[in-house]
Amino acid sequence: GPTAGSAVDAAVRVEAEGCAPHTVVGGGAFVDEHLVVTVAHVVAGADEVEVVLPDRSEHEAIVVAIDRRKDLAVLDVNQDVPPLEIGRMRAGTRGEFVSWRGGAPMVERFVARSYVDIEGADIDGIELSPRRGYEITADVEPGDSGAVLVSDGEAVAVVFARSEHRRDRAWAIDIAEAAELLEAAEAADGTPADLGEC
């Protein structure tokens, strides 16, 4: 089918209810037909998940696959939004991601500093979970987790953490790490995944 023409076209704001007194917010993007990739820590344990599209319409999202170790999740959203192609990038590549800080989608820029083995803990803080990803130079804010990095029109990584020490430093998981999860999401065909504890 047609693919998204820009980072904004495929972007969503993810809103999860049930784990905190307030709505937990993150980013995400369509990377396959009806399938949105985001981070697990935004949707884990949620009772209800919705996505907001760039036209501000709100739609129910079903979390159909989740990997708490890699901090990735896939949502099934019954909307015909052209997805991003999945691609790769090398260190030094520039691109953009979409932030929803003002409630509307805004394009933010990034530069990939290096391709790294990320030795972060899983989202439960129990075990170290190695995954491939990028250290990036970007202005990442708390609600940006799950935003998809786009380079040359292709989805290349998923923002999941920012530096506590440097304002312009953040980390993103290589989109290749989501391949198995996307396959599982296809197979799930709309069946909700067990979202576990918050």
Side-chain angles (χ1 to χ4, degrees), residues 105-126:
M106 285 179 44
V107 173
E108 303 284 339
R109 308 267 164 213
F110 77 86
V111 180
R113 295 178 57 82
S114 56
Y115 191 59
V116 290
D117 278 310
I118 298 161
E119 273 289 342
D122 60 22
I123 69 168
D124 301 306
I126 295 167

Side-chain angles (χ1 to χ4, degrees), residues 65-147:
I66 187 166
D67 186 333
R68 298 173 79 98
R69 292 181 60 246
K70 288 183 177 173
D71 197 3
L72 290 167
V74 180
L75 318 178
D76 191 308
V77 180
N78 191 15
Q79 291 294 306
D80 291 319
V81 175
L84 291 160
E85 292 277 356
I86 288 180
R88 309 189 58 102
M89 70 174 171
R90 52 170 63 98
T93 299
R94 297 173 176 274
E96 60 272 334
F97 64 97
V98 175
S99 157
W100 298 78
R101 291 164 209 176
M106 285 179 44
V107 173
E108 303 284 339
R109 308 267 164 213
F110 77 86
V111 180
R113 295 178 57 82
S114 56
Y115 191 59
V116 290
D117 278 310
I118 298 161
E119 273 289 342
D122 60 22
I123 69 168
D124 301 306
I126 295 167
E127 55 179 321
L128 283 179
S129 172
R131 59 212 108 154
R132 301 293 290 171
Y134 298 90
E135 184 177 347
I136 62 172
T137 299
D139 176 21
V140 169
E141 300 270 331
D144 295 339
S145 278

Side-chain angles (χ1 to χ4, degrees), residues 7 10 14 46 49 52 66 77 106 126 128 135 143 173 176 179 189 197-198:
V14 179
V49 180
V52 181
I66 187 166
V77 180
M106 285 179 44
I126 295 167
L128 283 179
E135 184 177 347
I173 307 159
D189 198 26
E197 301 290 312
C198 292

Side-chain angles (χ1 to χ4, degrees), residues 4-14 25-30 36-39 42 52-56 81-82 84 95-110 136 138-151 153-160 172:
S6 75
V8 172
D9 294 342
V12 303
R13 173 182 163 111
V14 179
V25 173
F30 283 89
V36 167
V37 70
T38 185
V39 283
V42 168
V52 181
L53 303 188
D55 66 5
R56 295 183 181 247
V81 175
L84 291 160
E96 60 272 334
F97 64 97
V98 175
S99 157
W100 298 78
R101 291 164 209 176
M106 285 179 44
V107 173
E108 303 284 339
R109 308 267 164 213
F110 77 86
I136 62 172
D139 176 21
V140 169
E141 300 270 331
D144 295 339
S145 278
V148 173
L149 300 186
V150 178
S151 172
E154 295 181 329
V156 290
V158 183
V159 174
F160 79 99

